[in-house]
Amino acid sequence: LATARVITVTDDDEVLWSGGDTVVVQVGDVLDRGDHEIAIVKLLRDLDEQARKEGGAVYMLNGNHESLNVCGDFRYVTPGAFVESALYSGLEEKDLKDWDLLARVRYAVYRPGG
């Protein structure tokens, strides 16, 4: 996004929309790409909110990895991404070693309506 000049990163590492009325389409597969998936989704949503104030937009499409997660297929999920979704859901640090619980929580986060 920085290369496309639609964002600016401040000295405080804040990411700000600078694309004016540009429309960005993220074509899926944000999930299963590392330990910070929810952070990336939140960033893209925040950028969309900022972009819309300037006549632009950020659209996120579902790719096959989003579909895999909705279906409960977690074979490509990193351990850190399981932890991130568990913490996002409000689990406590002591619960993070229960992998069955982490899988159930992740499914609850990504299922339709989750």
Side-chain angles (χ1 to χ4, degrees):
L1 295 172
T3 302
R5 297 187 179 148
V6 296
I7 64 166
T8 302
V9 181
T10 68
D11 291 338
D12 298 329
D13 290 329
E14 185 179 7
V15 180
L16 302 173
W17 180 259
S18 60
D21 63 357
T22 301
V23 174
V24 171
V25 180
Q26 198 288 327
V27 293
D29 289 354
V30 170
L31 300 184
D32 301 337
R33 297 293 177 237
D35 297 342
H36 305 287
E37 305 164 338
I38 293 173
I40 293 168
V41 169
K42 289 172 83 172
L43 171 65
L44 292 171
R45 285 183 177 179
D46 185 51
L47 287 172
D48 180 54
E49 186 177 311
Q50 294 176 42
R52 288 180 186 272
K53 291 177 183 174
E54 296 186 32
V58 177
Y59 294 101
M60 292 183 287
L61 303 180
N62 284 340
N64 61 314
H65 285 267
E66 284 75 21
S67 297
L68 288 169
N69 278 262
V70 166
C71 293
D73 183 341
F74 303 135
R75 65 186 134 158
Y76 301 107
V77 178
T78 66
F82 275 108
V83 169
E84 182 192 38
S85 57
L87 293 172
Y88 175 78
S89 297
L91 257 61
E92 296 180 18
E93 199 80 26
K94 65 180 177 64
D95 298 319
L96 299 180
K97 293 184 181 179
D98 183 344
W99 287 101
D100 289 333
L101 176 61
L102 294 181
R104 288 193 310 273
V105 167
R106 185 166 178 93
Y107 180 69
V109 168
Y110 288 106
R111 74 173 182 236

